[in-house]
Amino acid sequence: MKLTTSLLGATALCAAVAGTTAGAVELEVSHWWTSGGEANAVSKFAEALNATGTHTWVDNAIAGGGDTARPIMISRILGGDPMDAFQFNHGRQAEELMEAGLLLDLTDVAEAEGWKDLVNPPSLLDACTIEGRVYCAPVNIHSWQWMWLNNKVYTDLGLTVPTTWQEFVDTADEVRAAGKIPLALGGQPWQSSGAFQVMAIALAGKEPWLAVYQDHDESVVNGPEFTAVFEAAAQARELARGSNVQEWQQATNLVITGEAAGQIMGDWAQGDFAMANMVAGQDYTCLPGLGVNEIISTGGDAFYFPKQDDPEVEAAQKELASLLVSPDVQVSFNLAKGSLPVRGDVDLADANDCMKKGLEILAAGNTVPDTNMLVTPDTSQQINDLMTEFWATDMSATDAQARFAEIIANAE
Amino acid sequence: MAVTDQAQTAVPRPATGAPARRPLRVFRNLASKIAAIPMVLTALVIFVGCTLWTVVYSFTRSGMLPRLQFVGLDQYERLWSTPKWLVSIQNLAIYGICAMVLTLVLGFLLAALLDRKIRGEDVFRTIILYPFALSFIVTGLVWQWLLNPDYGIQNVVRSLGWESFEFNPLYNPDLVIFGLLIAGIWHGTGLSMCIMLAGLRGIDEDIWKASRVEGIPTWKTYLFVIIPMMRPVFVTCLVLIASGIIKLYDLVVAQTGGGPGGSSEVPAKYVMDSMFGAQNLGQGFAASSMMLLSVIIILIPWAYLEYGGKKRV
């Protein structure tokens, strides 16, 4: 009885508190940024929103990466209990949610702020747009096509730090002989799939890559360029033996601590190098396009805002959307995350060597769309399944090639 | 409703010549029938209705959201040509058979040992049942660490001086399913032990006295007298274990994530991955319909044997 009364009292108190702060909205935001660098970056958003003084950022981070987090977010939205904002990789992941009208239309915010003119490259905004309506706020550009090397591993062995994939492969034996893993690779499916497509774009080149991922032309998969890619991947598989870790940040950590020499991973790895107080160019080296083809894909993250009935929440959601794209927030967030800003008009004076390389490639226009924009999650999952099997077992390069061709032929 | 009632009352009366006051069958135990209506509706709508809905939508090309766009058997054709699904089925078969046999055998052995009126029975019972109080997620994580070659059992044994010792099932595609099995059995044996212990306690003391008088060895009494008498207990255990096996999902997610290289995939995970990861509901529904079908194929002959034919006393 006593408990009931005190509970009732507490409820009344809560209601009273909520009543006094009308107008201020608590925005629950879901994302999967949980590694050290990522968490640091997302706190910039939270600080910016809390600094407005009216609304508060309620953080709802889901650990385990996008493959774990996306199903949770989707089932919450479909289940009628949506959060106020959530992060996806922009592309086709949220396609059906937009089509079904479950997301807030941000077109008025986009027009008022002129996103169309300032978001660069424009493909980022296109991925948010369906039938002329804008449904998401792009926040950063991430590219997959990077290789990270620990300089100390090489200098200790009296080697020069590799500048191309071929040099990396040539020195791998000596790295292995020193008891270190040449290539760190986590066990999560998207990592092996990503490493493969990075090797594909670096070793096969832009045109064949686009023919496969964009036009879904399976004859190119069976062509000589991709045969070479599959052979190189089989070689890389041997180099990755012994990295018994799951998450990407654990694999990155192997490189940071010098247990492994290198890792193929997107530029989000940079945040973790920075958190470990390592200096680009001095302690670690980054090779865009594996040092062969300096092309980056312009994927990234975007925030989506599920529809809520409350107009007050809706206004707060729109405020948050414009805040995320605003210049100051773009700079502080992207510096922490190691990603590139979505707008061309901000100054990244504090950018390190690797980010500058990325900005140069971006300015030169050597970009391709991200795979998430080109293939459906269904196809992407099939590729993931194939790649994780290929990297973890002794599947031959020709078998993998045949199965990959089949997936591409059936892709929508 | 009223019209049909009148019709029913009107027809049988002249035929049977029953007394006019006799209440209708429909209205007998009326209160309990009304009380059962919510449960009957729940069963019909949620279990039968939703199952049918799932089966119907497995013939469509539903993506993230269900839509009625029929594609015939396409989803099933794709399902059975997907290596991942075939691996899942194979894994579930290996895991299912081993888990079923081992959990029953170990559960019974432990129960029989505890039943020998040993000292500290309560302590042992608590220890053995304890894993069951943990969720599969916790179990999976605990065993992921224990079986990790760099931190777990392998490392401990090696640090004791046995340098060549190798026990690394989770990173070996051929052995990973047994790594899951160890965790599954560790988790489930306690419960079947408790149920069997209760069954053993239910055996009349006179049976034991009689077998002792006849000079039958203890193990023979267990094997030929006690176990046949415990048939209902075994059936209970069997059903509990079987349902645990079919829905095997969280343990895999926590312990291996389906790896290495997709070699520890299970059907329930395939369903979840297709429905939410790949945003392909149709494929997920097709897979779950196949799971349902396999359960029905096993269940119907068994139910027929168990309850059909003769009425058991």
Side-chain angles (χ1 to χ4, degrees):
Chain A
M1 189 61 209
K2 231 176 197 167
L3 182 71
T4 330
T5 357
S6 58
L7 276 178
L8 281 174
T11 322
L13 200 68
C14 287
V17 170
T20 52
T21 53
V25 177
E26 289 192 345
L27 290 173
E28 186 194 357
V29 188
S30 293
H31 57 86
W32 60 81
W33 288 327
T34 50
S35 85
E38 290 173 333
N40 180 29
V42 80
S43 69
K44 308 287 180 201
F45 281 156
E47 281 163 21
L49 183 71
N50 294 340
T52 61
T54 41
H55 309 307
T56 20
W57 175 285
V58 179
D59 199 74
N60 178 16
I62 302 171
D67 292 344
T68 313
R70 274 193 298 275
I72 299 173
M73 298 180 188
I74 291 174
S75 51
R76 264 194 70 179
I77 295 164
L78 296 185
D81 174 31
M83 61 298 277
D84 302 304
F86 66 96
Q87 166 233 352
F88 263 16
N89 300 120
H90 45 213
R92 300 177 69 171
Q93 289 170 351
E95 206 171 62
E96 283 196 51
L97 287 177
M98 298 192 229
E99 283 168 358
L102 290 165
L103 301 178
L104 183 67
D105 187 345
L106 300 173
T107 314
D108 48 345
V109 181
E111 277 170 2
E113 311 240 328
W115 286 1
K116 212 176 182 101
D117 304 317
L118 57 85
V119 172
N120 176 50
S123 65
L124 293 180
L125 199 59
D126 293 345
C128 286
T129 314
I130 279 190
E131 289 165 4
R133 315 298 293 174
V134 178
Y135 290 95
C136 65
V139 294
N140 61 3
I141 301 170
H142 265 311
S143 47
W144 246 111
Q145 289 72 14
W146 296 84
M147 175 148 202
W148 309 92
L149 299 165
N150 184 327
N151 291 1
K152 193 164 179 293
V153 171
Y154 289 96
T155 47
D156 282 358
L157 290 171
L159 298 166
T160 51
V161 181
T163 54
T164 64
W165 173 252
Q166 196 51 49
E167 287 177 28
F168 172 77
V169 173
D170 292 343
T171 53
D173 281 346
E174 289 173 65
V175 174
R176 181 69 89 183
K180 294 177 189 291
I181 307 158
L183 186 66
L185 180 74
Q188 288 169 331
W190 63 269
Q191 296 183 42
S192 22
S193 181
F196 173 80
Q197 60 104 350
V198 171
M199 295 179 69
I201 199 165
L203 304 179
K206 187 174 175 176
E207 299 308 320
W209 188 88
L210 280 175
V212 170
Y213 282 90
Q214 189 167 40
D215 307 329
H216 308 317
D217 182 352
E218 83 266 26
S219 66
V220 181
V221 177
N222 291 318
E225 291 97 346
F226 266 73
T227 309
V229 172
F230 273 98
E231 278 162 10
Q235 205 174 11
R237 176 170 69 184
E238 293 310 313
L239 305 184
R241 287 253 187 274
S243 47
N244 290 344
V245 290
Q246 283 293 322
E247 312 236 338
W248 71 265
Q249 54 266 46
Q250 292 172 318
T252 305
N253 197 44
L254 290 179
V255 181
I256 291 173
T257 55
E259 280 176 62
Q263 183 190 17
I264 298 176
M265 185 46 63
D267 54 8
W268 46 91
Q270 192 163 224
D272 281 34
F273 280 101
M275 289 293 277
N277 291 324
M278 290 175 80
V279 180
Q282 192 178 323
D283 300 319
Y284 68 99
T285 303
C286 52
L287 302 176
L290 306 184
V292 186
N293 263 325
E294 296 208 342
I295 295 170
I296 58 174
S297 64
T298 52
D301 303 290
F303 275 85
Y304 296 77
F305 303 85
K307 261 193 189 144
Q308 309 276 4
D309 293 332
D310 192 343
E312 224 165 63
V313 177
E314 206 166 274
Q317 285 174 318
K318 285 182 177 172
E319 261 177 68
L320 177 60
S322 85
L323 190 71
L324 295 178
V325 188
S326 67
D328 291 348
V329 176
Q330 276 290 306
V331 171
S332 63
F333 170 77
N334 284 306
L335 282 178
K337 188 124 189 337
S339 51
L340 306 176
V342 293
R343 42 200 299 164
D345 59 349
V346 294
D347 181 26
L348 278 188
D350 294 332
N352 65 25
D353 278 8
C354 288
M355 290 176 76
K356 278 183 185 142
K357 276 189 202 175
L359 285 170
E360 276 166 29
I361 298 170
L362 191 64
N366 288 328
T367 58
V368 289
D370 187 67
T371 46
N372 285 325
M373 300 180 188
L374 302 177
V375 298
T376 59
D378 193 19
T379 308
S380 157
Q381 171 120 6
Q382 286 174 289
I383 298 175
N384 283 356
D385 288 342
L386 170 65
M387 285 305 156
T388 180
E389 194 178 336
F390 174 72
W391 284 83
T393 62
D394 291 320
M395 188 196 280
S396 75
T398 34
D399 285 354
Q401 194 174 3
R403 272 175 60 184
F404 188 66
E406 199 181 320
I407 293 170
I408 291 299
N410 292 329
E412 284 176 31
Chain B
M1 190 65 194
V3 178
T4 48
D5 286 347
Q6 276 171 0
Q8 274 174 358
T9 43
V11 177
R13 208 180 292 157
T16 55
R21 292 285 173 96
R22 187 179 170 177
L24 265 175
R25 265 198 75 170
V26 195
F27 292 123
R28 226 179 286 159
N29 294 329
L30 192 61
S32 54
K33 277 176 184 159
I34 290 174
I37 284 177
M39 195 54 222
V40 170
L41 281 181
T42 313
L44 282 181
V45 174
I46 295 186
F47 293 112
V48 182
C50 293
T51 308
L52 286 177
W53 187 91
T54 304
V55 174
V56 167
Y57 274 85
S58 73
F59 295 102
T60 67
R61 43 169 306 174
S62 301
M64 185 198 280
L65 305 166
R67 62 184 156 193
L68 272 176
Q69 205 175 341
F70 287 100
V71 288
L73 286 170
D74 280 10
Q75 299 286 11
Y76 290 90
E77 272 167 29
R78 181 174 148 193
L79 181 70
W80 286 103
S81 62
T82 307
K84 186 176 163 187
W85 172 251
L86 301 176
V87 170
S88 309
I89 297 279
Q90 194 190 342
N91 279 341
L92 190 69
I94 297 174
Y95 179 91
I97 293 169
C98 295
M100 182 70 84
V101 172
L102 286 172
T103 317
L104 281 178
V105 170
L106 287 175
F108 184 77
L109 278 178
L110 289 171
L113 290 175
L114 281 186
D115 194 41
R116 302 314 294 167
K117 304 196 174 56
I118 54 162
R119 195 176 295 174
E121 186 200 313
D122 290 350
V123 176
F124 284 112
R125 205 174 46 203
T126 312
I127 291 176
I128 296 169
L129 188 60
Y130 207 80
F132 190 73
L134 301 177
S135 72
F136 265 128
I137 296 288
V138 176
T139 310
L141 289 175
V142 166
W143 281 94
Q144 186 192 54
W145 282 78
L146 280 174
L147 298 178
N148 184 306
D150 299 330
Y151 309 108
I153 297 173
Q154 176 176 313
N155 184 38
V156 170
V157 175
R158 281 190 182 179
S159 65
L160 290 177
W162 186 0
E163 294 288 339
S164 62
F165 179 78
E166 196 160 320
F167 185 63
N168 185 13
L170 292 192
Y171 289 94
N172 181 336
D174 300 324
L175 294 180
V176 65
I177 196 71
F178 298 102
L180 287 174
L181 191 63
I182 294 174
I185 289 172
W186 180 77
H187 183 266
T189 306
L191 180 72
S192 65
M193 179 207 74
C194 266
I195 296 173
M196 298 220 200
L197 189 58
L200 283 173
R201 290 284 147 82
I203 301 284
D204 198 333
E205 195 59 27
D206 291 343
I207 306 260
W208 282 108
K209 285 178 188 158
S211 78
R212 231 169 281 141
V213 170
E214 298 284 343
I216 304 170
T218 315
W219 66 270
K220 265 194 174 171
T221 316
Y222 270 121
L223 215 57
F224 298 112
V225 181
I226 306 296
I227 291 184
M229 287 180 77
M230 282 173 58
R231 186 191 154 93
V233 176
F234 272 92
V235 171
T236 310
C237 274
L238 206 75
V239 171
L240 283 176
I241 299 168
S243 67
I245 290 169
I246 292 286
K247 66 185 184 194
L248 176 67
Y249 170 73
D250 28 11
L251 183 66
V252 181
V253 170
Q255 202 177 346
T256 67
S263 50
S264 61
E265 294 285 347
V266 287
K269 183 163 180 296
Y270 184 92
V271 172
M272 288 298 285
D273 284 355
S274 321
M275 284 171 67
F276 301 108
Q279 300 180 1
N280 188 342
L281 286 178
Q283 183 67 17
F285 290 157
S288 52
S289 300
M290 290 315 301
M291 283 175 74
L292 177 71
L293 192 68
S294 60
V295 171
I296 290 176
I297 287 175
I298 296 170
L299 216 60
I300 286 187
W302 175 77
Y304 187 76
L305 284 177
E306 190 72 7
Y307 303 110
K310 56 175 196 285
K311 284 261 190 282
R312 276 163 22 97
V313 187

